[in-house]
Amino acid sequence: MPTPLPIEERLIRVAVFFTVLVVMVGWELVQPRRRREIPRLLRWTGNLGIVVIDAMLVRLAFPLVAVGLALIAEERGWGSSMSSLRPHRWRLSSQCWPSISRSTSNT
């Protein structure tokens, strides 16, 4: 089923980011919360640099962590694909759970 709005997700993220950024810049210009000891341009450049570095690290780290955890899970036999290899004592048997037909046939 096609999506109602064929807008790319990245475009929405960037638009929301810049909208919030413009609102916060305007808010700080109208009503600053502290004295300006460090020039705004220097402070804003540093803060935006931290945002860029953080975004790049997250985009790099998440795929690496996912692949690493998948390799660990495969090595240790974790996951639902391994359920057929579990020992018999872990499986539910019909002896543990009486069927409904047995209880209704006795009445």
Side-chain angles (χ1 to χ4, degrees):
M1 180 175 184
T3 59
L5 294 174
I7 298 176
E8 191 175 344
E9 180 232 352
R10 288 183 188 173
L11 179 63
I12 294 172
R13 286 179 184 261
V14 169
V16 168
F17 172 77
F18 281 113
T19 302
V20 171
L21 181 66
V22 167
V23 168
M24 296 303 287
V25 165
W27 190 358
E28 185 174 346
L29 290 174
V30 171
Q31 188 176 2
R33 292 191 61 168
R34 62 173 79 165
R35 290 177 293 154
R36 285 193 321 179
E37 297 171 0
I38 301 172
R40 271 192 194 126
L41 184 62
L42 181 63
R43 191 166 34 103
W44 288 352
T45 305
N47 289 342
L48 288 175
I50 291 171
V51 169
V52 169
I53 291 170
D54 180 53
M56 289 181 353
L57 287 175
V58 166
R59 291 211 179 256
L60 178 68
F62 273 179
L64 292 176
V65 169
V67 169
L69 285 176
L71 291 173
I72 290 171
E74 180 185 28
E75 178 184 297
R76 296 183 183 177
W78 297 344
S80 60
S81 63
M82 302 299 287
S83 63
S84 62
L85 301 177
R86 285 186 284 175
H88 179 70
R89 68 178 182 268
W90 289 2
R91 294 188 185 141
L92 293 176
S93 67
S94 59
Q95 296 170 355
C96 296
W97 301 95
S99 66
I100 296 174
S101 61
R102 286 185 194 167
S103 61
T104 55
S105 64
N106 292 338
T107 56

